[in-house]
């Protein structure tokens, strides 16, 4: 059983936890419908902009850009 999410003092909620909680609360809606609603609400609040990303995203982006730069400098094909 998923514990209810207390949003009173929270600024951020894990997506997976919110999805589980809402699916438990509204099982007839279905997980995919709830996921679409969460995405739509997030887009409405943030304007669709990524405001926060895990630090690992920055590390991975640097690694990809370093590889692309090295491949481009060597005349290799750059693939994203």
């Amino acid at each position: 059983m998923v514990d209810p999410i207390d949003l009173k003092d929270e600024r951020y909620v894990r997506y997976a936890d919110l999805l589980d909680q809402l699916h438990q609360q509204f099982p007839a809606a279905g997980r995919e419908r709830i996921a679409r609603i969460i995405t739509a609400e997030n887009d409405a609040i943030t304007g669709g902009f990524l405001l926060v990303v895990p630090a690992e995203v920055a590390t991975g982006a640097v690694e990809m850009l370093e590889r692309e730069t090295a491949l481009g400098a060597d005349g290799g094909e750059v693939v994203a």
Side-chain angles (χ1 to χ4, degrees), residues 54-68:
E56 292 83 6
V57 171
T59 302
V62 167
E63 290 171 0
M64 289 181 76
L65 289 165
E66 287 174 344
R67 272 193 307 258
E68 287 181 5

Side-chain angles (χ1 to χ4, degrees), residues 16-48:
D17 291 345
L18 180 59
L19 181 59
D20 289 344
Q21 175 64 37
L22 292 176
H23 185 246
Q24 183 180 22
Q25 191 174 351
F26 303 98
R31 288 181 74 81
E32 290 188 17
R33 173 71 180 133
I34 294 168
R36 287 193 306 271
I37 290 170
I38 292 170
T39 300
E41 284 298 307
N42 182 69
D43 288 349
I45 291 168
T46 66

